[in-house]
């Protein structure tokens, strides 16, 4: 058992409840937090964490890791700008995840640098230092009740702009959700202790198709009743559907391109690059140019539907399905092109800016590889127009597509961004639809097409499209709203549609459209999701103290040989997962069997995470207006 034994402080602190707590532990790593109660106010702080054995990696999303000793035993953490002030008697809580290979027992010491804190109230300056007595180390491992330790502490402000909710933290938690969705061989730095290697035999005609993200779930409403009567659970959790996976990767990559400083400021930039590699590497496997074949799905929804358990315990066959010139699918292929092309852009920039000096050569080659695949897959999609779910009927019940021009528009636009080849911009314009968009989702990319064309051309008609779209979603628009203020486009993933409109709004602002009006709308939707609702609940799991404990997610609900019953909290916390959302009257219950409101999926999180990144970007650049008032 890993034990952190020693805590010393260079400031006088209240000993009650202070200490180092282990929330989870596993072979080679552990997760926990440090909790202190300063007796005097702090206005900026630096913490030294020193271990008696090397620790391969220490990561935290609530402080900046400013240095690591050469022997990997000491880590220096400094406050973020928004978290520098700690009131006398308040909480200073640092959550962390660490890897420590080759040792099962570890002693550590945490010290706070003396910074001559300013006194408040009757506190006197220059309090004596001391070594307070320690409480017992608390351990909450994955075999017992889960530790819901992530607390919501509204930050006072970032760079002068106040945030009601910590968008940087919400963004970072969302990355952990994608880590939990990984399929195939997991990397050595996997931060999800209850996930292991899975679906290691995935292949198409003997071609390796391991990797990527499990979908999470979605089912087409028209055939929902038919499937519901034939099965007891909802569907698609461990199938890999390339259409929504590519949509998610594209939206996340677009957000990284626009708001890289948000990820960097939150200490999550490296994790975000790793996050994007998972689907991009998988897409490179799926596209075989020499055979003019693109694999678009691995796993059968019906067989997957009948199994409620961990991905690591799957035993059913996992057939793979492909598109080719005789069975086209421009929508799935085009969406993948957009993801590959934006991936080429962000990894090229990563190389050029020396973000990872020792990986420059690899990233330069990686960007070129992504771009080459994007260009050849685009030519395949353009030469073979068609709807993929007509060619692969096994996908229709889950992600049946309605068209392909919107995906092809995004694909061509992103290729123009990556290459500056005029032919791609000409193509993007040919796929453009000027009508008011219904929404943005895994099936509907029209607002993305319109926004990209504005970004690339600055032509007024595309700006008008964006203004009309947000006006339709904002209060007083044509899209309904719940009484507490969530834009309610559809019952399936109601949070998803609102968050996607918010992501379109923040990127539009970055491109010069909408200003504070669009930012206020985006904040109203993200704030609702994070707590400005009648339940005072965060629909993002792990954000704050009040969030869903029973999401409809097999991996979180199950241990080897056992799954939690519907009334019991999941044994694992699915950090960052965005639950489907409330009904039209803000009605919601934390009930695993209600998969309409409690389902999670890769595409649910993509727009939400990018919206959080955008709001955090505007906050750290002192451009975020005051938060709109909550309606409930």
């Amino acid at each position: 058992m890993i034990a952190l034994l020693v805590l010393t402080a260079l400031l006088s602190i209240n000993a009650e409840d202070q200490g180092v707590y282990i929330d989870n532990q596993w072979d080679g790593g552990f997760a926990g937090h440090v909790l202190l109660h300063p007796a005097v106010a702090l206005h900026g702080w630096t913490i030294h964490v020193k271990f008696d054995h090397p620790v391969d990696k220490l990561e935290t999303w609530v402080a900046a890791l400013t240095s690591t000793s050469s022997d990997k035993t000491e880590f220096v953490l400094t406050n973020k700008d928004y978290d520098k002030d700690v009131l006398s008697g308040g909480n200073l809580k640092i959550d962390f995840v660490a890897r420590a290979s080759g040792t099962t027992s570890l002693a550590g010491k945490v010290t706070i640098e003396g910074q001559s804190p300013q006194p408040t109230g009757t506190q006197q300056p220059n309090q004596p230092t001391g070594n307070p007595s320690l409480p017992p180390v608390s351990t909450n491992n994955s075999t017992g009740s889960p530790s819901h330790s992530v607390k919501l502490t509204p930050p006072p402000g970032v760079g002068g702009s106040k945030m009601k909710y910590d968008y940087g933290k919400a963004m970072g938690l969302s990355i952990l959700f994608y880590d939990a969705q990984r399929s195939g061989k997991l990397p050595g730095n996997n931060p999800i202790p209850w996930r292991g290697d899975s679906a290691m035999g995935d292949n198409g005609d003997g071609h390796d198709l391991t990797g990527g993200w499990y979908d999470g779930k979605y089912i087409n409403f028209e055939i929902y009743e038919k499937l519901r009567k034939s099965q007891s659970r909802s569907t698609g959790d461990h199938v890999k559907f390339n259409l929504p996976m590519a949509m998610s990767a594209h939206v996340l990559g677009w957000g990284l391109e626009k708001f890289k400083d948000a990820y960097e400021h939150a200490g999550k930039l490296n994790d975000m690059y790793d996050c994007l590699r998972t689907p991009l590497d998988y897409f490179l496997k799926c596209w075989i140019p020499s055979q003019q074949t693109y694999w678009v799905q691995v796993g059968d929804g019906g067989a997957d539907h009948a199994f409620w358990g961990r991905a690591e315990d799957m035993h059913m066959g996992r057939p793979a399905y492909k598109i080719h010139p005789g069975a086209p699918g421009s929508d799935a292929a085009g969406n993948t092109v957009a993801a590959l092309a934006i991936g080429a852009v962000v990894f090229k920039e990563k190389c050029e800016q020396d973000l990872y000096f020792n990986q420059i050569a690899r990233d330069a080659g990686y960007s070129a590889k992504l771009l080459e695949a994007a260009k050849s897959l685009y030519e395949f999609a353009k030469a073979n127009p068609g709807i993929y779910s007509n060619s692969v009927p096994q996908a229709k019940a889950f992600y049946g597509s309605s068209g392909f021009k919107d995906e092809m528009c995004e694909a061509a636009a992103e290729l123009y961004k990556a290459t500056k080849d005029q032919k791609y911009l000409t193509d993007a314009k040919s796929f453009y639809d000027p009508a008011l968009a219904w929404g943005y989702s895994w099936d509907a990319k029209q607002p993305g097409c319109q926004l990209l064309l504005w970004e690339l051309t600055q032509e007024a008609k595309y700006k008008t499209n964006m203004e009309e779209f947000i006006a339709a979603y904002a209060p007083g628009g044509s899209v309904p709203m719940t009484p507490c203020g969530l834009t309610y486009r559809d019952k399936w993933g109601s949070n998803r549609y609102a968050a996607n409109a918010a992501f379109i709004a923040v990127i539009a602002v970055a491109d010069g459209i909408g200003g504070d009006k669009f930012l206020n709308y985006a904040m109203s939707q993200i704030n609702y999701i994070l707590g400005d609702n009648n339940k005072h609940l965060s629909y993002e799991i792990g954000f704050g103290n009040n969030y869903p404990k029973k999401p409809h997610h097999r991996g979180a609900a199950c241990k080897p040989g056992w799954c939690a019953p519907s009334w019991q909290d999941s044994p694992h916390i699915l950090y960052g997962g965005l639950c489907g959302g409330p009904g039209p009257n803000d009605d919601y219950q934390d009930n695993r069997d209600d998969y309409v409101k409690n389902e999670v999926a890769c595409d649910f999180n993509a727009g939400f995470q990018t919206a959080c990144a955008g709001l955090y970007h505007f906050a750290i650049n002192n451009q975020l207006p005051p938060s709109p008032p909550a309606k409930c």
Side-chain angles (χ1 to χ4, degrees):
M1 178 182 295
I2 296 170
L4 303 184
L5 300 177
V6 182
L7 174 68
T8 64
L10 301 181
L11 295 172
S12 176
I13 54 179
N14 182 345
E16 183 179 4
D17 293 329
Q18 68 188 16
V20 178
Y21 296 84
I22 305 300
D23 299 324
N24 265 309
Q25 59 190 65
W26 57 95
D27 289 343
F30 56 96
H33 64 274
V34 176
L35 181 63
L36 298 174
H37 304 293
V40 292
L42 303 180
H43 303 290
W45 45 264
T46 297
I47 288 180
H48 293 249
V49 183
K50 186 173 178 61
F51 299 101
D52 64 352
H53 289 86
V55 172
D56 298 328
K57 182 179 181 181
L58 186 141
E59 182 178 17
T60 176
W61 50 90
V62 294
L65 178 60
T66 56
S67 68
T68 303
S69 64
S70 59
D71 62 358
K72 295 186 177 181
T73 61
E74 184 169 359
F75 301 83
V76 180
L77 306 175
T78 302
N79 62 274
K80 299 288 186 70
D81 287 345
Y82 63 80
D83 206 23
K84 65 182 179 181
D85 296 318
V86 183
L87 297 177
S88 173
N91 289 337
L92 176 55
K93 182 172 181 285
I94 310 296
D95 297 291
F96 62 82
V97 177
R99 287 193 289 124
S101 59
T103 180
T104 58
S105 179
L106 195 67
K109 180 172 66 175
V110 179
T111 60
I112 307 176
E113 289 186 3
Q115 297 179 345
S116 300
Q118 298 296 317
T120 61
T122 60
Q123 297 290 341
Q124 298 299 314
N126 301 319
Q127 294 285 340
T129 61
N131 294 318
S133 59
L134 297 177
V137 173
S138 169
T139 60
N140 291 310
N141 59 40
S142 59
T143 62
S145 299
S147 172
H148 304 291
S149 62
V150 181
K151 291 187 176 181
L152 170 62
T153 304
V158 177
S161 288
K162 294 184 181 297
M163 297 189 300
K164 184 173 184 179
Y165 296 99
D166 187 345
Y167 304 124
K169 187 169 189 176
M171 176 188 73
L173 285 172
S174 180
I175 296 174
L176 291 177
F177 168 72
Y178 286 104
D179 289 336
Q181 297 304 104
R182 283 170 169 164
S183 178
K185 180 71 175 177
L186 299 188
N189 64 349
N190 168 43
I192 311 299
W194 44 270
R195 281 302 323 280
D197 298 345
S198 62
M200 292 298 293
D202 281 359
N203 74 93
D205 296 339
H207 181 76
D208 177 22
L209 296 178
T210 58
W213 289 325
Y214 294 122
D215 172 60
K217 186 259 156 199
Y218 189 84
I219 182 169
N220 187 288
F221 179 76
E222 282 74 17
I223 66 165
Y224 156 68
E225 285 297 328
K226 183 185 297 184
L227 289 178
R228 183 185 66 81
K229 291 174 182 177
S230 65
Q231 304 287 353
S232 61
R233 295 281 186 177
S234 68
T235 57
D237 293 42
H238 294 144
V239 178
K240 295 187 295 194
F241 293 103
N242 286 32
L243 181 64
M245 193 192 307
M247 171 267 179
S248 302
H250 174 230
V251 170
L252 291 170
W254 195 0
L256 178 57
E257 179 211 7
K258 287 292 185 183
F259 309 123
K260 185 178 71 175
D261 61 339
Y263 288 98
E264 191 167 22
H265 193 278
K268 307 306 292 184
L269 185 58
N270 298 346
D271 293 334
M272 189 55 201
Y273 284 123
D274 287 345
C275 177
L276 272 182
R277 282 184 186 274
T278 297
L280 295 178
D281 286 349
Y282 176 68
F283 297 146
L284 291 174
K285 291 182 178 182
C286 291
W287 169 229
I288 309 175
S290 63
Q291 300 177 10
Q292 290 291 282
T293 294
Y294 180 56
W295 296 93
V296 295
Q297 178 179 329
V298 178
D300 176 77
D304 181 84
H305 177 82
F307 171 72
W308 182 260
R310 306 186 316 148
E312 294 80 1
D313 298 331
M314 288 188 295
H315 57 272
M316 78 290 286
R318 289 176 59 81
Y321 305 95
K322 62 188 175 183
I323 56 174
H324 51 82
S330 305
D331 38 13
N335 217 165
T336 305
V337 170
L340 291 168
I342 195 63
V345 170
V346 298
F347 279 99
K348 181 181 179 182
E349 184 181 59
K350 175 180 182 293
C351 169
E352 291 173 346
Q353 296 192 8
D354 292 347
L355 295 177
Y356 279 129
F357 184 80
N358 63 333
Q359 296 181 8
I360 286 179
R362 184 187 77 167
D363 288 331
Y366 189 59
S367 174
K369 188 175 183 180
L370 293 172
L371 184 56
E372 186 61 30
K375 291 192 291 186
S376 61
L377 184 56
Y378 178 78
E379 294 306 320
F380 164 82
K382 186 178 177 183
N384 301 284
I387 295 175
Y388 94 106
S389 51
N390 291 340
S391 299
V392 181
Q394 294 84 355
K396 188 167 292 188
F398 310 99
Y399 289 95
S401 176
S402 62
F404 59 82
K405 288 187 176 181
D406 48 350
E407 284 89 3
M408 289 296 290
C409 176
E410 284 193 334
E414 292 293 9
L415 276 173
Y416 177 72
K417 187 187 297 181
T419 66
K420 299 301 184 287
D421 188 329
Q422 186 66 35
K423 71 178 183 181
Y424 294 121
L425 182 57
T426 300
D427 281 357
K429 290 181 176 182
S430 74
F431 292 120
Y432 161 73
D433 181 350
L436 176 63
W438 182 86
Y440 193 95
S441 72
W442 58 266
D443 184 40
K445 315 301 190 312
Q446 187 182 347
C449 166
Q450 295 167 344
L451 183 53
L452 281 166
L453 284 171
W454 160 255
E455 184 179 303
L456 298 173
T457 70
Q458 301 291 291
E459 293 181 18
K461 63 182 178 181
Y462 306 125
K463 179 180 180 181
T464 300
N465 291 149
M466 288 297 95
E467 292 169 339
E468 291 175 345
F469 176 71
I470 297 302
Y473 270 68
S478 58
V479 182
M481 278 198 158
T482 69
C484 291
L486 183 75
T487 303
Y488 193 80
R489 170 47 88 188
D490 192 76
K491 66 181 285 185
W492 294 94
S494 56
N495 282 333
R496 171 257 310 270
Y497 288 106
N500 285 353
F503 118 72
I504 291 290
V506 296
I507 289 187
V509 175
D511 287 338
I513 306 175
D516 284 359
K517 182 179 180 180
F518 278 23
L519 288 177
N520 275 314
Y521 171 71
M523 277 193 289
S524 73
Q525 299 307 292
I526 299 304
N527 288 359
Y528 179 103
I529 290 170
L530 294 178
D532 276 8
N533 53 68
N534 58 325
K535 305 288 185 180
H536 304 294
L537 170 89
S538 168
Y539 285 97
E540 185 188 28
I541 300 167
F543 188 89
N545 293 321
N546 184 25
Y547 52 83
K549 308 300 194 301
K550 306 176 188 69
H552 191 90
H553 186 275
R554 304 173 189 187
C558 298
K559 295 181 180 181
W562 177 85
C563 293
S566 60
W567 63 86
Q568 187 171 321
D569 290 359
S570 295
H572 308 299
I573 304 174
L574 185 65
Y575 283 112
L578 179 65
C579 287
N585 295 309
D586 302 296
D587 47 299
Y588 172 80
Q589 285 188 331
D590 184 9
N591 179 352
R592 190 176 295 112
D593 285 344
D594 184 358
Y595 39 83
V596 176
K597 294 184 174 70
N598 289 283
E599 200 70 70
V600 295
C602 286
D603 75 288
F604 285 16
N605 268 73
F608 168 76
Q609 181 176 319
T610 294
C612 288
L615 293 174
Y616 195 64
H617 158 83
F618 289 110
I620 64 177
N621 287 283
N622 199 23
Q623 297 171 343
L624 193 68
S627 290
K631 291 189 175 182
C632 292

